[in-house]
Amino acid sequence: YALLTNPDVETELRALRDKTIGRLLSYDPKQRADLLQTLEMFLEQHGNHNQTASKLSVHRNTLFYRMNRIAEITGLDLDQPDVRLAVHLSLKIHRLLGE
């Protein structure tokens, strides 16, 4: 967290966030889709669909639909470990920036 809160790298952190989840950040409030919350929960549950669906109190099919929408909107492949790490960091950055 020291790196994420370092003001000297704030521009780079914003750029990473915007590159990975920027489209989702724009889409979610307009559509009231809760995709950001879904993505965060998915990562918190280490990609486990059953646990994520349970935590969100949604059916597995609903979760799969949301995850497909996230992939369509962001263009990211969350099956790739490096992509998943970048997204997780971007979500942390977004929360720390408070935007």
Side-chain angles (χ1 to χ4, degrees):
Y1 285 101
L3 176 64
L4 297 179
T5 57
N6 184 335
D8 295 334
V9 295
E10 187 172 325
T11 302
E12 290 84 359
L13 295 174
R14 285 180 195 279
L16 173 64
R17 178 202 60 193
D18 294 345
K19 181 180 177 184
T20 55
I21 61 170
R23 290 185 197 150
L24 191 59
L25 292 173
S26 297
Y27 177 89
D28 220 26
K30 293 176 188 172
Q31 301 298 321
R32 297 185 188 132
D34 293 328
L35 297 180
L36 194 64
Q37 176 191 16
T38 299
L39 181 56
E40 285 180 307
M41 186 61 67
F42 178 74
L43 293 171
E44 287 175 18
Q45 301 307 312
H46 308 287
N48 184 301
H49 290 94
N50 289 331
Q51 289 177 356
T52 303
S54 176
K55 291 280 186 177
L56 293 172
S57 299
V58 298
H59 192 275
R60 273 178 45 96
N61 290 344
T62 301
L63 176 64
F64 284 119
Y65 172 79
R66 289 182 184 179
M67 295 307 297
N68 285 332
R69 286 297 298 144
I70 291 167
E72 289 172 5
I73 293 165
T74 63
L76 299 172
D77 180 0
L78 292 172
D79 290 331
Q80 301 297 317
D82 289 343
V83 171
R84 204 179 278 203
L85 174 61
V87 170
H88 205 160
L89 283 172
S90 296
L91 289 167
K92 297 289 185 195
I93 291 165
H94 179 67
R95 295 296 176 211
L96 287 170
L97 293 174
E99 299 172 354

